[in-house]
Protein backbone atom coordinates (compact mmCIF):
# COMPACT_ATOMS: atom_id res chain seq x y z
CA UNK A 1 0.00 0.00 0.00
CA UNK A 2 1.52 3.38 -0.96
CA UNK A 3 2.13 5.91 1.81
CA UNK A 4 -0.57 8.59 2.23
CA UNK A 5 2.19 11.19 2.00
CA UNK A 6 5.70 10.76 0.70
CA UNK A 7 8.08 13.68 0.52
CA UNK A 8 11.38 13.01 -1.23
CA UNK A 9 14.37 15.39 -1.16
CA UNK A 10 12.03 18.39 -1.25
CA UNK A 11 13.56 21.86 -1.57
CA UNK A 12 11.79 25.17 -2.09
CA UNK A 13 13.60 28.43 -2.61
CA UNK A 14 11.74 31.73 -2.78
CA UNK A 15 13.26 34.68 -4.58
CA UNK A 16 12.70 38.22 -3.39
CA UNK A 17 11.09 40.78 -5.72
CA UNK A 18 14.24 41.63 -7.68
CA UNK A 19 15.82 38.22 -7.28
CA UNK A 20 18.45 39.77 -5.01
CA UNK A 21 17.84 37.56 -2.03
CA UNK A 22 16.89 33.91 -1.75
CA UNK A 23 15.05 32.24 1.10
CA UNK A 24 15.32 28.48 1.38
CA UNK A 25 11.95 27.71 2.98
CA UNK A 26 12.23 23.91 2.62
CA UNK A 27 15.65 22.29 2.58
CA UNK A 28 16.00 18.70 1.33
CA UNK A 29 13.04 17.40 3.34
CA UNK A 30 12.21 13.69 3.46
CA UNK A 31 9.27 12.18 5.30
CA UNK A 32 6.44 9.77 4.90
CA UNK A 33 3.07 9.32 6.54
CA UNK A 34 1.28 5.98 6.36
CA UNK A 35 -2.41 5.65 5.64
CA UNK A 36 -4.46 5.87 8.85
CA UNK A 37 -1.68 7.64 10.73
CA UNK A 38 -1.99 10.93 12.64
CA UNK A 39 1.16 12.95 12.05
CA UNK A 40 2.14 16.20 13.77
CA UNK A 41 4.23 18.54 11.61
CA UNK A 42 5.83 21.03 13.96
CA UNK A 43 8.31 23.85 13.85
CA UNK A 44 8.83 27.46 14.91
CA UNK A 45 7.44 30.38 12.89
CA UNK A 46 8.96 30.52 9.43
CA UNK A 47 10.25 26.94 9.58
CA UNK A 48 8.67 26.00 6.24
CA UNK A 49 5.55 24.11 7.32
CA UNK A 50 2.97 26.01 5.27
CA UNK A 51 5.28 26.01 2.24
CA UNK A 52 5.59 22.20 2.49
CA UNK A 53 1.80 21.84 2.73
CA UNK A 54 1.26 24.08 -0.31
CA UNK A 55 3.69 21.98 -2.35
CA UNK A 56 1.96 18.80 -1.16
CA UNK A 57 -1.31 20.16 -2.49
CA UNK A 58 0.10 21.28 -5.81
CA UNK A 59 -0.48 24.96 -4.97
CA UNK A 60 3.26 25.71 -5.19
CA UNK A 61 5.90 24.06 -7.35
CA UNK A 62 9.00 22.70 -5.63
CA UNK A 63 12.46 23.95 -6.63
CA UNK A 64 13.58 20.31 -6.52
CA UNK A 65 12.42 16.98 -5.13
CA UNK A 66 8.93 15.55 -5.20
CA UNK A 67 5.80 14.75 -3.18
CA UNK A 68 3.42 11.87 -3.64
CA UNK A 69 -0.04 11.47 -2.16
CA UNK A 70 -1.31 7.88 -2.14
CA UNK A 71 1.49 7.15 -4.58
CA UNK A 72 0.34 9.82 -7.05
CA UNK A 73 1.66 13.23 -7.95
CA UNK A 74 -0.24 16.32 -9.04
CA UNK A 75 0.54 16.69 -12.70
CA UNK A 76 -0.93 20.05 -13.65
CA UNK A 77 -2.17 23.29 -12.19
CA UNK A 78 -5.72 22.53 -13.37
CA UNK A 79 -6.36 20.42 -10.30
CA UNK A 80 -10.01 21.43 -10.10
CA UNK A 81 -10.86 20.70 -13.72
CA UNK A 82 -13.53 17.99 -13.62
CA UNK A 83 -12.60 14.36 -14.24
CA UNK A 84 -8.84 14.75 -14.35
CA UNK A 85 -6.58 12.50 -12.30
CA UNK A 86 -5.65 15.60 -10.31
CA UNK A 87 -9.27 16.40 -9.42
CA UNK A 88 -9.87 12.83 -8.24
CA UNK A 89 -6.75 12.98 -6.11
CA UNK A 90 -7.81 16.35 -4.74
CA UNK A 91 -11.25 14.99 -3.77
CA UNK A 92 -9.54 12.45 -1.52
CA UNK A 93 -7.79 15.27 0.37
CA UNK A 94 -9.35 17.78 2.75
CA UNK A 95 -7.34 20.96 3.38
CA UNK A 96 -7.77 23.57 6.05
CA UNK A 97 -5.51 26.53 5.18
CA UNK A 98 -3.76 28.71 7.73
CA UNK A 99 -6.21 31.55 8.54
CA UNK A 100 -8.92 30.53 6.04
CA UNK A 101 -10.46 33.39 4.08
CA UNK A 102 -14.00 33.23 2.76
CA UNK A 103 -16.17 35.59 0.76
CA UNK A 104 -17.66 38.00 3.32
CA UNK A 105 -21.04 38.35 1.58
CA UNK A 106 -21.84 34.64 1.55
CA UNK A 107 -23.39 32.70 4.41
CA UNK A 108 -21.55 29.75 5.95
CA UNK A 109 -23.89 27.38 4.11
CA UNK A 110 -23.27 29.15 0.77
CA UNK A 111 -19.50 28.98 1.33
CA UNK A 112 -19.78 25.22 1.78
CA UNK A 113 -22.00 24.92 -1.31
CA UNK A 114 -19.34 26.79 -3.31
CA UNK A 115 -16.50 24.52 -2.15
CA UNK A 116 -18.69 21.42 -2.49
CA UNK A 117 -19.21 22.20 -6.18
CA UNK A 118 -15.45 22.58 -6.62
CA UNK A 119 -15.18 19.04 -5.26
CA UNK A 120 -17.69 17.93 -7.89
CA UNK A 121 -20.56 17.48 -5.41
CA UNK A 122 -24.10 18.61 -6.20
CA UNK A 123 -27.83 18.18 -5.63
CA UNK A 124 -29.14 16.32 -2.59
CA UNK A 125 -25.77 14.75 -1.92
CA UNK A 126 -24.16 18.19 -1.49
CA UNK A 127 -27.04 19.39 0.73
CA UNK A 128 -26.64 16.32 2.90
CA UNK A 129 -22.85 16.72 3.20
CA UNK A 130 -23.27 20.41 4.11
CA UNK A 131 -25.71 19.54 6.93
CA UNK A 132 -23.49 16.72 8.17
CA UNK A 133 -20.30 18.79 8.21
CA UNK A 134 -22.05 21.79 9.81
CA UNK A 135 -23.24 19.47 12.54
CA UNK A 136 -19.79 17.95 13.03
CA UNK A 137 -18.22 21.38 13.59
CA UNK A 138 -21.20 22.70 15.63
CA UNK A 139 -22.17 25.49 13.22
CA UNK A 140 -25.75 24.62 12.20
CA UNK A 141 -27.09 27.46 14.38
CA UNK A 142 -25.17 30.14 12.42
CA UNK A 143 -25.10 28.51 8.98
CA UNK A 144 -27.37 31.13 7.40
CA UNK A 145 -25.58 34.20 8.74
CA UNK A 146 -23.12 36.16 6.60
CA UNK A 147 -19.45 35.25 7.03
CA UNK A 148 -18.68 38.95 7.65
CA UNK A 149 -20.49 38.61 11.00
CA UNK A 150 -18.59 35.49 12.04
CA UNK A 151 -16.03 35.47 14.83
CA UNK A 152 -12.53 34.04 14.23
CA UNK A 153 -13.51 30.70 15.77
CA UNK A 154 -16.66 30.48 13.64
CA UNK A 155 -14.61 31.05 10.46
CA UNK A 156 -12.20 28.35 11.58
CA UNK A 157 -15.10 25.92 12.10
CA UNK A 158 -16.49 26.64 8.63
CA UNK A 159 -12.96 26.04 7.32
CA UNK A 160 -12.93 22.64 8.95
CA UNK A 161 -16.40 21.82 7.60
CA UNK A 162 -15.09 22.74 4.13
CA UNK A 163 -12.13 20.36 4.60
CA UNK A 164 -14.50 17.53 5.53
CA UNK A 165 -17.00 18.06 2.69
CA UNK A 166 -15.75 15.40 0.30
CA UNK A 167 -15.33 12.87 3.14
CA UNK A 168 -11.60 12.74 2.32
CA UNK A 169 -9.18 9.95 3.22
CA UNK A 170 -6.46 12.45 4.09
CA UNK A 171 -6.89 15.70 6.01
CA UNK A 172 -4.16 18.32 5.91
CA UNK A 173 -4.81 20.86 8.63
CA UNK A 174 -2.70 24.00 9.00
CA UNK A 175 -3.26 25.30 12.56
CA UNK A 176 -6.73 23.76 13.06
CA UNK A 177 -7.40 25.25 16.51
CA UNK A 178 -5.87 28.70 16.18
CA UNK A 179 -8.23 31.41 17.47
CA UNK A 180 -10.60 28.97 19.12
CA UNK A 181 -11.74 29.24 22.73
CA UNK A 182 -10.86 26.36 25.11
CA UNK A 183 -14.27 24.70 24.71
CA UNK A 184 -14.08 24.82 20.91
CA UNK A 185 -10.47 23.58 21.08
CA UNK A 186 -11.57 20.59 23.10
CA UNK A 187 -14.40 19.94 20.62
CA UNK A 188 -12.06 20.10 17.64
CA UNK A 189 -9.60 17.84 19.42
CA UNK A 190 -12.39 15.32 20.06
CA UNK A 191 -13.35 15.64 16.41
CA UNK A 192 -9.77 14.88 15.33
CA UNK A 193 -9.76 11.82 17.59
CA UNK A 194 -13.08 10.76 16.07
CA UNK A 195 -11.65 11.13 12.55
CA UNK A 196 -8.62 9.14 13.63
CA UNK A 197 -11.01 6.42 14.87
CA UNK A 198 -12.64 6.38 11.44
CA UNK A 199 -9.25 5.52 9.92
CA UNK A 200 -8.60 8.94 8.33
CA UNK A 201 -5.02 10.04 7.81
CA UNK A 202 -4.34 13.36 9.51
CA UNK A 203 -1.40 15.67 8.84
CA UNK A 204 -1.61 18.38 11.45
CA UNK A 205 0.48 21.49 11.61
CA UNK A 206 0.06 23.18 14.99
CA UNK A 207 1.72 25.27 17.67
CA UNK A 208 -0.70 23.86 20.27
CA UNK A 209 1.74 21.22 21.47
CA UNK A 210 -0.41 19.79 24.27
CA UNK A 211 -3.06 19.07 21.66
CA UNK A 212 -0.61 17.51 19.24
CA UNK A 213 0.61 15.35 22.11
CA UNK A 214 -2.91 14.04 22.69
CA UNK A 215 -3.74 13.32 19.06
CA UNK A 216 -0.56 12.49 17.11
CA UNK A 217 1.36 9.21 17.09
CA UNK A 218 4.36 10.44 15.17
CA UNK A 219 5.84 13.88 14.75
CA UNK A 220 8.38 15.68 12.65
CA UNK A 221 10.01 18.93 13.82
CA UNK A 222 11.33 21.25 11.13
CA UNK A 223 13.54 24.30 11.53
CA UNK A 224 14.93 26.46 8.75
CA UNK A 225 13.27 24.04 6.31
CA UNK A 226 15.19 21.00 7.62
CA UNK A 227 13.74 18.03 9.45
CA UNK A 228 15.56 17.98 12.79
CA UNK A 229 13.49 15.42 14.73
CA UNK A 230 11.29 12.67 13.39
CA UNK A 231 9.71 9.64 14.98
CA UNK A 232 7.14 8.17 17.30
CA UNK A 233 6.20 10.56 20.05
CA UNK A 234 6.43 7.83 22.66
CA UNK A 235 10.02 6.98 21.64
CA UNK A 236 11.12 10.62 21.45
CA UNK A 237 9.50 11.58 24.75
CA UNK A 238 11.00 8.68 26.72
CA UNK A 239 14.40 8.51 24.99
CA UNK A 240 17.36 9.33 27.26
CA UNK A 241 14.98 9.97 30.17
CA UNK A 242 15.93 8.94 33.69
CA UNK A 243 14.27 5.95 35.33
CA UNK A 244 13.56 5.66 39.04
CA UNK A 245 12.80 2.36 40.78
CA UNK A 246 11.14 2.25 44.19
CA UNK A 247 11.75 -0.79 46.40
CA UNK A 248 10.58 -1.71 49.92
CA UNK A 249 14.13 -1.91 51.30
CA UNK A 250 17.69 -2.66 50.20
CA UNK A 251 20.38 -4.85 51.75
CA UNK A 252 23.85 -3.28 52.02
CA UNK A 253 25.20 -5.87 49.58
CA UNK A 254 22.57 -5.03 46.93
CA UNK A 255 23.12 -1.30 47.47
CA UNK A 256 26.84 -1.73 46.74
CA UNK A 257 26.08 -3.68 43.55
CA UNK A 258 23.72 -0.93 42.40
CA UNK A 259 26.26 1.79 43.16
CA UNK A 260 28.75 -0.13 41.03
CA UNK A 261 26.20 0.34 38.19
CA UNK A 262 26.28 4.13 38.85
CA UNK A 263 22.86 4.16 40.50
CA UNK A 264 22.04 6.70 43.21
CA UNK A 265 20.05 5.26 46.09
CA UNK A 266 18.13 7.25 48.69
CA UNK A 267 15.05 7.51 50.83
CA UNK A 268 11.85 8.45 49.03
CA UNK A 269 9.19 10.60 50.78
CA UNK A 270 6.83 7.61 50.76
CA UNK A 271 9.25 5.70 53.04
CA UNK A 272 10.35 3.47 50.16
CA UNK A 273 13.94 3.31 48.95
CA UNK A 274 14.55 4.98 45.61
CA UNK A 275 17.09 3.93 43.01
CA UNK A 276 17.86 6.47 40.30
CA UNK A 277 19.36 5.03 37.15
CA UNK A 278 21.91 6.93 35.13
CA UNK A 279 20.22 6.01 31.83
CA UNK A 280 17.29 3.97 30.60
CA UNK A 281 19.61 1.42 29.05
CA UNK A 282 20.77 0.32 32.54
CA UNK A 283 17.28 -0.75 33.57
CA UNK A 284 17.67 -4.47 32.77
CA UNK A 285 21.03 -4.72 34.58
CA UNK A 286 19.52 -3.07 37.66
CA UNK A 287 16.41 -5.27 37.57
CA UNK A 288 18.67 -8.35 37.31
CA UNK A 289 20.47 -7.29 40.51
CA UNK A 290 17.14 -6.69 42.28
CA UNK A 291 15.74 -10.02 41.11
CA UNK A 292 18.84 -11.96 42.18
CA UNK A 293 18.59 -10.44 45.68
CA UNK A 294 14.78 -11.00 45.86
CA UNK A 295 14.27 -7.29 46.50
CA UNK A 296 10.61 -6.25 46.67
CA UNK A 297 10.16 -3.89 43.67
CA UNK A 298 7.16 -1.60 44.26
CA UNK A 299 7.24 0.60 41.14
CA UNK A 300 9.36 1.46 38.12
CA UNK A 301 8.88 5.05 36.98
CA UNK A 302 10.08 6.46 33.71
CA UNK A 303 10.30 10.22 33.39
CA UNK A 304 8.58 11.46 30.27
CA UNK A 305 9.54 14.63 28.47
CA UNK A 306 6.57 16.78 27.48
CA UNK A 307 6.28 17.61 23.80
CA UNK A 308 6.75 21.27 24.70
CA UNK A 309 10.09 20.53 26.42
CA UNK A 310 11.13 18.23 23.57
CA UNK A 311 10.24 20.89 20.99
CA UNK A 312 12.10 23.72 22.77
CA UNK A 313 15.15 21.54 23.51
CA UNK A 314 15.31 20.31 19.90
CA UNK A 315 15.03 23.77 18.36
CA UNK A 316 17.52 25.30 20.84
CA UNK A 317 20.02 22.46 20.39
CA UNK A 318 19.96 23.14 16.67
CA UNK A 319 20.67 26.84 17.19
CA UNK A 320 23.55 26.11 19.65
N1 LIG B 1 5.63 33.85 -0.99
C1 LIG B 1 6.79 33.95 -0.33
N2 LIG B 1 7.81 34.70 -0.82
C2 LIG B 1 8.99 34.78 -0.18
N3 LIG B 1 9.26 34.16 0.98
C3 LIG B 1 8.28 33.41 1.52
C4 LIG B 1 6.99 33.27 0.91
N4 LIG B 1 6.22 32.45 1.68
C5 LIG B 1 6.99 32.09 2.74
N5 LIG B 1 8.23 32.65 2.64
C6 LIG B 1 9.34 32.48 3.58
O1 LIG B 1 9.60 31.07 3.68
C7 LIG B 1 9.90 30.72 5.01
C8 LIG B 1 8.93 29.64 5.49
O2 LIG B 1 7.62 30.19 5.57
P1 LIG B 1 6.34 29.31 5.95
O3 LIG B 1 5.14 30.17 5.81
O4 LIG B 1 6.38 28.04 5.16
O5 LIG B 1 6.63 28.99 7.50
P2 LIG B 1 5.71 28.27 8.62
O6 LIG B 1 6.55 27.17 9.17
O7 LIG B 1 4.41 27.91 8.04
O8 LIG B 1 5.57 29.41 9.74
P3 LIG B 1 4.34 29.76 10.73
O9 LIG B 1 4.49 28.83 11.91
O10 LIG B 1 4.64 31.18 11.13
O11 LIG B 1 3.06 29.62 9.99
C9 LIG B 1 9.87 32.01 5.83
O12 LIG B 1 11.18 32.50 5.93
C10 LIG B 1 9.02 32.93 4.97
O13 LIG B 1 9.38 34.28 5.17
MG1 LIG C 1 2.45 28.44 8.52
Amino acid sequence: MPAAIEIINLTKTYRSLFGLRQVTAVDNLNLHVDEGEVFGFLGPNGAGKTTTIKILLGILYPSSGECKLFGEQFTSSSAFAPETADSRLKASIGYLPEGPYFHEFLTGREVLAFYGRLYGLGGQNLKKRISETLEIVGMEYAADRLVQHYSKGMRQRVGLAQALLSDPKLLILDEPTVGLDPIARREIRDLLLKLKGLGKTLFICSHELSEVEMVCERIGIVNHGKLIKYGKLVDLAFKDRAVEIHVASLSDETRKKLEALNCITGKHETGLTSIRLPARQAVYDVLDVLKASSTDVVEVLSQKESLEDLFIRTVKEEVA
Side-chain angles (χ1 to χ4, degrees):
M1 193 164 59
I5 296 177
E6 187 155 25
I7 299 177
I8 307 149
N9 301 331
L10 187 71
T11 296
K12 175 70 186 176
T13 308
Y14 290 112
R15 272 177 210 285
S16 66
L17 192 57
F18 302 107
L20 296 173
R21 218 170 60 91
Q22 281 199 349
V23 176
T24 304
V26 181
D27 193 353
N28 200 25
L29 189 74
N30 286 282
L31 66 83
H32 82 271
V33 178
D34 286 327
E35 216 174 321
E37 199 178 6
V38 181
F39 188 85
F41 192 47
L42 316 174
N45 293 131
K49 304 180 296 295
T50 299
T51 302
T52 304
I53 286 179
K54 286 185 176 167
I55 299 171
L56 273 179
L57 294 163
I59 298 170
L60 281 178
Y61 288 109
S63 304
S64 61
E66 57 180 5
C67 301
K68 287 182 188 164
L69 300 171
F70 302 108
E72 288 183 59
Q73 243 179 317
F74 285 116
T75 50
S76 71
S77 57
S78 60
F80 283 119
E83 287 314 305
T84 63
D86 279 0
S87 71
R88 279 191 298 277
L89 181 56
K90 206 138 231 178
S92 61
I93 303 161
Y95 169 49
L96 172 71
E98 187 179 28
Y101 176 81
F102 304 117
H103 201 296
E104 300 285 317
F105 297 103
L106 293 180
T107 65
R109 196 184 301 278
E110 286 166 346
V111 164
L112 294 181
F114 171 74
Y115 283 98
R117 281 188 213 107
L118 287 180
Y119 279 119
L121 301 172
Q124 285 307 312
N125 188 26
L126 175 59
K127 267 193 168 166
K128 186 167 150 271
R129 278 309 291 161
I130 291 174
S131 305
E132 284 169 358
T133 53
L134 283 169
E135 195 193 328
I136 290 173
V137 300
M139 275 294 286
E140 315 97 307
Y141 77 102
D144 298 307
R145 287 193 220 157
L146 292 180
V147 168
Q148 62 173 319
H149 302 309
Y150 279 0
S151 70
K152 214 169 164 186
M154 290 162 90
R155 286 165 196 252
Q156 195 70 6
R157 284 170 190 247
V158 169
L160 263 171
Q162 168 276 130
L164 292 167
L165 269 177
S166 66
D167 193 20
K169 289 195 285 184
L170 166 66
L171 276 151
I172 297 181
L173 308 173
D174 201 349
E175 301 287 346
T177 55
V178 71
L180 298 182
D181 64 44
I183 300 168
R185 259 216 290 269
R186 167 76 63 87
E187 286 172 5
I188 298 298
R189 195 181 70 214
D190 290 346
L191 168 63
L192 297 181
L193 288 168
K194 195 166 134 191
L195 294 167
K196 177 179 172 176
L198 290 172
K200 306 275 183 206
T201 309
L202 304 178
F203 187 83
I204 306 170
C205 203
S206 176
H207 291 295
E208 299 290 340
L209 299 180
S210 57
E211 244 154 50
V212 172
E213 202 163 19
M214 280 183 244
V215 181
C216 299
E217 293 141 21
R218 272 200 320 137
I219 58 152
I221 300 179
V222 278
N223 199 14
H224 304 300
K226 284 195 167 80
L227 193 65
I228 54 171
K229 195 131 272 177
Y230 182 49
K232 275 190 174 171
L233 198 45
V234 62
D235 294 339
L236 298 174
F238 284 105
K239 195 169 172 259
D240 301 330
R241 295 286 93 193
V243 172
E244 192 165 304
I245 299 175
H246 293 160
V247 296
S249 62
L250 270 183
S251 68
D252 284 345
E253 192 193 343
T254 311
R255 191 184 300 272
K256 276 191 195 125
K257 282 186 183 161
L258 293 175
E259 282 167 4
L261 290 171
N262 295 324
C263 292
I264 300 166
T265 60
K267 211 69 194 152
H268 191 251
E269 64 226 26
T270 52
L272 299 168
T273 300
S274 70
I275 305 161
R276 281 184 69 80
L277 277 62
R280 288 182 67 74
Q281 296 89 307
V283 74
Y284 292 114
D285 296 339
V286 172
L287 287 173
D288 283 347
V289 170
L290 296 175
K291 189 177 175 195
S293 58
S294 301
T295 305
D296 182 8
V297 176
V298 180
E299 54 190 355
V300 180
L301 303 168
S302 184
Q303 286 176 357
K304 179 175 178 269
E305 188 173 29
S306 72
L307 179 56
E308 186 176 86
D309 288 341
L310 175 73
F311 179 86
I312 293 171
R313 182 171 62 84
T314 306
V315 173
K316 279 193 173 161
E317 267 173 13
E318 215 234 348
V319 172

